[in-house]
Amino acid sequence: MAAENQTPPVLEARALGKTLGGNRVLDAVSLALPKGCVKVLIGPSGAGKSTLLQCLNFLIPPDSGSILLEGREVNARSRRELCSLRQQVGMIFQDFNLFDHLSAMENVRVALMKVKGMSKLDAGELALAELSRVGLLDKAALYPANLSGGQKQRVAIARALAMDPKVMLLDEPTSALDPELIGEVLAVIRDLAQNGMTMIIATHQISFSASLADEFLFMEKGRVIESGSPAELLRRDSGSRTLAFCAKISELSGEAGEAGLAAGLGESVRAGVSVGAAGLGAESPV
Amino acid sequence: MDFSLAYTATREALPYMLGGVIWTVGLICGAMLLGLALGVPLAVLHVYGPWPARRAVSIYVWLFRGIPILVQMYIFYFGLLAWLSTLPLLSGLGLDSPFVAAVLVLGLTSSAYQSQIFRGAIQSLPAGQLKAARAMGMTDAQAIRSIILPQALRLSIPAWSNEYSILLKDSALAFTIGVVEIMARMRAIASTTHEPVSMTFLAGIIFFALTWVGVKALSLLENRVRIAGYTRQGAA
Amino acid sequence: MSTTYLEFLRAELVPGLMEGLWTSIAVIVPSAALGVLIGLFAGVLRVYGPRPVRQFTEAYVSLFRGTPLVVQVFFWYFALPYISIGGHSIVLDAIPASILAFGLCSGAYQSEYIRGGLLSIKRGQIRAALALGMTTRQAVQSVVLPQAFRRALPGCGNELIYLIKYSSLASIITVNELTGTATTIAKNTWRNIEVFCTLGVYYLVLVTLATWLLHLLEDSLSVPGFERHKS
Ligand SMILES: Nc1ncnc2c1ncn2[C@@H]1O[C@H](COP(=O)(O)OP(=O)(O)O)[C@@H](O)[C@H]1O
Ligand SMILES: [Mg+2]
């Protein structure tokens, strides 16, 4: 326990602030991601989840506050430090952002060569290994235009993993997918979590994330207004904003598993939720 | 360069240069109408015709898009039309006039380009349109005339405005065969007044203004015939 | 008629036009290079340049696209010498004047395609590259430019075809390229139809050849999602 406290979090944000077009999009948001933990960001659209995630690797430079990688503050003015931070922080986007002119394998390979300076051969070998990890070895030669949404997102995950990141930021990784394709991506994410990857995920997949999150962070209007374990926040009598929000979106999406969400999350959280998650993760890609 | 001299020269040249506008506008109107009159049937043939007709349209388009306007002016004015007008049957029809030659060249070339525009528009319509019309008992000819073309022509107006500005600029080449449009007058005045700089600018401004007026007019037309919500994206 | 068309073709037309052809190529190639170069710079500046630079390039493009090329050719050859700055004026020979005119005009059109290619690239593409740790320069080199180039290629190629045809305008300012040579032969022989139709064939061959080469290039660069739209 004592030793654990001395290890700084892999990634930490202190009092991040961001104003966009007169809007206070982030208002002094702080969070820490200790090694191996999975945190889930939930909250209504426009709450600032994407902005927060992109501030963590300076894709959007915050107006105030600081980012610490393994306890050392990142100097965003130094291009070298910025690139090195981004190498160590993997990011997954809602709309995949695969490079459209490159095949799946080349998508994974390009940064290995350009950023890590690997040889074409080594980078290609590693790229194929990463693709097979997400179950897409046979699609390595295909271009994004010929991949399904779920396959694209899995290539994007392989691309991020190939850089050997210390932490992954996932911004609504399944929101742009057709329902029947969500499962294959969630299965890959679950696999990552089980292998101890440190992650923060913005998502609306409540039952799935409840089954693997160490902590839920509920965001609204640029602030984290509630945080705690999913069991705590989703308890039927918790009266939390999180519970109200989750009940609303699961009602709208009409998931059978989610309907029993509040009920099932009493004593046996894992058991209750895994019903929903099992349904979603049915198709295992690996 | 003496600016007051340039100013006087420009002012004196203005009425004469503006007189050229009539010829330029005549060339463009003639060419656009000819291009439209030929371009629409060519496009329909290209899409719906039997293969020899489709092939013939392709060759027509290839010919007129491949030969420079200037060369076509020479072929028609100094060659074909000069020869035709010596035939007893065709003499006295004014075929040897430079204006006729220029309108023919610009119009035929434009018909090749316009047929491509219309073809694109026709092909961008959903296949269901023709099927629905046939299902109502229309013949193909009726369906094309009353269902396909009204939609395709609307979709073509933006491309038309581009075609107009191309024609306007190409029309300046008619001076080479003796049409007294803007460019011809600019050259004449520039050499008599020794003010080629101000005359080129004057001609440039006139062409610029004509482009602007034409594009505005076509966008007005587009708004007039617009159907709410009907755009190329909406139709595709 | 003294000689048949074929004899005329062999004895006079082909040798004359051959010489003109070389001059045409000597005008087209540098103009095309100049046009692509200017178009590249202007296109990039129109998208990424600071505001005043952007406005300046916009003005350049609308000026050169809004006026007939023949007026521009006339300006560079006949009018430029009349502009004297501090007692000095520039007099261009016919060929350099045509190259300058064609290059500047073509550059304005090329910049449209380059600009379109750059604008067609979704913001997420650069974002994803940066998120992987690439520098802006690496992202532009390995993600933006390869995509923009493929998107711009059909338009840029089309513009090169136009340039081939409009190079005939050089004959107006006395350059003895294809059209200029043909005009001379026609004047001397009075065989207008034969001369000008043969001239037309020369351009058809040039244009068709160039179109074919461009399609080869496009196909060799084509990847799914960036295919040439078959016409
Ligand atoms: N460039 C911008 N200018 C002004 N407001 C912006 C800009 N980008 C985002 N916003 C606002 O910031 C807020 C947070 O957006 P975002 O982080 O995307 O929310 P979320 O990902 O939680 O849906 C939204 O209200 C959005 O309208
Ligand atoms: Mg978002």
Side-chain angles (χ1 to χ4, degrees):
Chain A
M1 264 297 150
E4 204 178 16
N5 281 343
Q6 279 159 13
T7 328
V10 182
L11 192 67
E12 187 181 350
R14 288 188 184 158
L16 290 183
K18 181 75 189 175
T19 304
L20 278 171
N23 276 4
R24 194 78 186 137
V25 181
L26 288 184
D27 196 1
V29 175
S30 297
L31 69 91
L33 296 169
K35 189 165 170 47
C37 86
V38 175
K39 296 203 175 183
V40 169
L41 264 183
I42 46 182
S45 188
K49 304 182 294 293
S50 300
T51 312
L52 173 59
L53 291 183
Q54 299 193 54
C55 279
L56 291 178
N57 65 356
F58 291 98
L59 279 185
I60 299 175
D63 300 334
S64 57
S66 52
I67 305 286
L68 289 81
L69 185 70
E70 299 187 311
R72 283 225 320 278
E73 183 171 344
V74 179
N75 174 12
R77 299 241 187 77
S78 150
R79 216 180 56 180
R80 228 175 42 81
E81 274 195 45
L82 208 58
C83 287
S84 128
L85 167 80
R86 287 171 178 166
Q87 268 180 68
Q88 298 175 61
V89 177
M91 178 147 217
I92 300 300
F93 300 87
Q94 180 174 342
D95 43 4
F96 330 124
N97 291 338
L98 289 188
F99 303 130
D100 293 324
H101 65 302
L102 300 177
S103 71
M105 191 273 272
E106 291 164 337
N107 258 281
V108 181
R109 192 180 64 183
V110 62
L112 293 174
M113 289 163 59
K114 299 276 165 187
V115 178
K116 291 208 155 172
M118 287 173 73
S119 76
K120 196 169 181 172
L121 213 66
D122 292 347
E125 218 164 275
L126 182 53
L128 290 177
E130 293 298 343
L131 282 174
S132 79
R133 185 164 156 190
V134 297
L136 288 175
L137 192 54
D138 56 330
K139 309 283 184 215
L142 295 191
Y143 285 85
N146 296 335
L147 292 172
S148 75
Q151 292 168 339
K152 280 188 221 177
Q153 194 60 295
R154 280 148 68 196
V155 173
I157 292 173
R159 178 173 74 176
L161 288 177
M163 301 300 285
D164 193 20
K166 298 199 165 97
V167 52
M168 296 270 282
L169 319 174
L170 296 92
D171 188 3
E172 305 203 23
T174 58
S175 295
L177 298 178
D178 292 335
E180 77 272 19
L181 301 176
I182 291 177
E184 58 187 78
V185 173
L186 292 185
V188 171
I189 296 172
R190 175 182 300 281
D191 198 48
L192 277 180
Q194 279 163 357
N195 284 315
M197 175 61 77
T198 312
M199 292 194 283
I200 178 163
I201 313 173
T203 184
H204 294 305
Q205 298 289 325
I206 304 302
S207 57
F208 167 77
S209 45
S211 74
L212 85 177
D214 298 300
E215 192 176 39
F216 266 25
L217 303 169
F218 184 73
M219 266 192 97
E220 199 173 66
K221 299 199 177 113
R223 289 188 197 176
V224 177
I225 57 171
E226 279 177 0
S227 63
S229 75
E232 226 175 283
L233 289 179
L234 296 181
R235 211 171 47 225
R236 196 213 302 253
D237 57 357
S238 69
S240 68
R241 297 289 305 275
T242 313
L243 179 65
F245 177 74
C246 293
K248 200 166 89 188
I249 61 171
S250 48
E251 189 182 301
L252 287 176
S253 67
E255 286 173 38
E258 300 279 13
L261 180 73
L265 280 167
E267 289 83 39
S268 51
V269 182
R270 303 273 163 188
V273 168
S274 61
V275 177
L280 292 168
E283 185 200 333
S284 170
V286 192
Chain B
M1 197 162 61
D2 189 330
F3 282 101
S4 67
L5 265 183
Y7 175 73
T8 321
T10 309
R11 228 185 46 187
E12 284 172 0
L14 192 60
Y16 180 64
M17 295 274 275
L18 286 179
V21 171
I22 298 165
W23 289 91
T24 299
V25 169
L27 285 173
I28 305 172
C29 289
M32 276 203 104
L33 289 179
L34 182 59
L36 183 66
L38 291 176
V40 172
L42 283 171
V44 171
L45 268 184
H46 209 166
V47 179
Y48 301 110
W51 77 262
R54 290 207 301 268
R55 192 90 206 113
V57 176
S58 294
I59 292 175
Y60 177 90
V61 170
W62 173 73
L63 272 178
F64 282 98
R65 290 181 59 168
I67 302 178
I69 298 281
L70 185 60
V71 176
Q72 288 188 45
M73 296 257 179
Y74 293 166
I75 293 176
F76 275 79
Y77 182 66
F78 296 119
L80 290 178
L81 293 179
W83 173 69
L84 282 178
S85 60
T86 59
L87 301 182
L89 209 70
L90 295 173
S91 65
L93 285 180
L95 285 183
D96 52 353
S97 113
F99 181 78
V100 170
V103 166
L104 264 180
V105 167
L106 295 170
L108 292 176
T109 304
S110 184
S111 75
Y113 282 96
Q114 289 193 44
S115 80
Q116 299 292 94
I117 296 172
F118 297 135
R119 190 184 65 150
I122 291 173
Q123 285 171 337
S124 78
L125 296 176
Q129 296 289 316
L130 193 58
K131 275 195 199 131
R134 280 182 187 148
M136 289 165 59
M138 288 192 191
T139 64
D140 279 9
Q142 285 169 332
I144 290 169
R145 210 172 38 234
S146 56
I147 306 294
I148 302 296
L149 284 183
Q151 298 187 53
L153 287 176
R154 275 193 177 81
L155 295 180
S156 305
I157 296 176
W160 239 46
S161 114
N162 193 38
E163 185 59 24
Y164 164 81
S165 90
I166 292 173
L167 267 176
L168 173 62
K169 285 175 273 175
D170 282 346
S171 77
L173 289 175
F175 88 90
T176 56
I177 56 174
V179 179
V180 283
E181 45 66 77
I182 301 165
M183 177 70 197
R185 291 172 188 233
M186 182 268 266
R187 250 170 58 111
I189 293 199
S191 64
T192 56
T193 59
H194 296 287
E195 286 286 344
V197 180
S198 37
M199 293 310 142
T200 350
F201 275 99
L202 182 55
I205 290 168
I206 296 176
F207 276 112
F208 224 94
L210 285 174
T211 307
W212 189 83
V213 170
V215 170
K216 261 270 143 18
L218 280 166
S219 86
L220 280 182
L221 174 71
E222 191 183 356
N223 281 331
R224 263 197 81 108
V225 301
R226 165 172 296 154
I227 302 170
Y230 195 84
T231 60
R232 194 174 264 265
Q233 285 80 24
Chain C
M1 291 258 169
S2 44
T3 52
T4 66
Y5 171 67
L6 281 180
E7 279 169 34
F8 175 53
L9 191 67
R10 210 188 47 227
E12 262 186 87
L13 216 38
V14 169
L17 289 181
M18 221 46 183
E19 224 162 281
L21 179 62
W22 289 120
T23 312
S24 279
I25 291 172
V27 171
I28 293 168
V29 172
S31 316
L34 186 62
V36 169
L37 208 68
I38 294 176
L40 214 57
F41 274 102
V44 170
L45 288 178
R46 284 174 75 187
V47 177
Y48 298 118
R51 210 180 139 81
V53 177
R54 232 161 48 212
Q55 282 167 340
F56 176 79
T57 39
E58 293 290 342
Y60 151 71
V61 171
S62 46
L63 182 67
F64 284 81
R65 291 186 58 204
T67 51
L69 177 54
V70 58
V71 173
Q72 296 171 34
V73 170
F74 187 87
F75 177 83
W76 295 115
Y77 188 61
F78 290 114
L80 189 63
Y82 284 83
I83 299 177
S84 71
I85 297 163
H88 295 281
S89 53
I90 305 169
V91 182
L92 290 177
D93 281 339
I95 290 184
S98 346
I99 293 173
L100 182 66
F102 297 158
L104 278 172
C105 183
S106 188
Y109 285 92
Q110 296 285 23
S111 82
E112 287 282 289
Y113 301 114
I114 305 282
R115 172 172 171 270
L118 289 171
L119 287 178
S120 76
I121 293 160
K122 288 163 275 168
R123 289 191 69 88
Q125 296 283 309
I126 300 184
R127 239 167 218 218
L130 294 179
L132 286 166
M134 290 194 196
T135 60
T136 309
R137 195 198 158 103
Q138 284 172 329
V140 167
Q141 264 174 12
S142 49
V143 176
V144 178
L145 287 183
Q147 293 189 21
F149 183 68
R150 285 184 172 86
R151 291 257 158 77
L153 190 58
C156 290
N158 225 4
E159 177 52 33
L160 288 182
I161 308 275
Y162 270 95
L163 187 56
I164 293 176
K165 292 191 280 173
Y166 281 98
S167 69
S168 57
L169 267 57
S171 66
I172 293 171
I173 55 169
T174 74
V175 178
N176 272 318
E177 39 66 82
L178 272 175
T179 307
T181 320
T183 318
T184 313
I185 299 177
K187 272 191 189 124
N188 294 338
T189 60
W190 286 95
R191 302 176 75 154
N192 291 343
I193 295 189
E194 288 148 289
V195 173
F196 290 126
C197 286
T198 312
L199 175 64
V201 171
Y202 268 75
Y203 280 104
L204 272 175
V205 170
L206 277 181
V207 163
T208 308
L209 204 66
T211 310
W212 180 72
L213 283 174
L214 283 162
H215 283 178
L216 275 189
L217 179 65
E218 277 175 49
D219 287 345
S220 74
L221 289 173
S222 145
V223 300
F226 291 83
E227 296 96 341
R228 169 155 55 90
H229 296 290
K230 295 256 189 281
S231 58

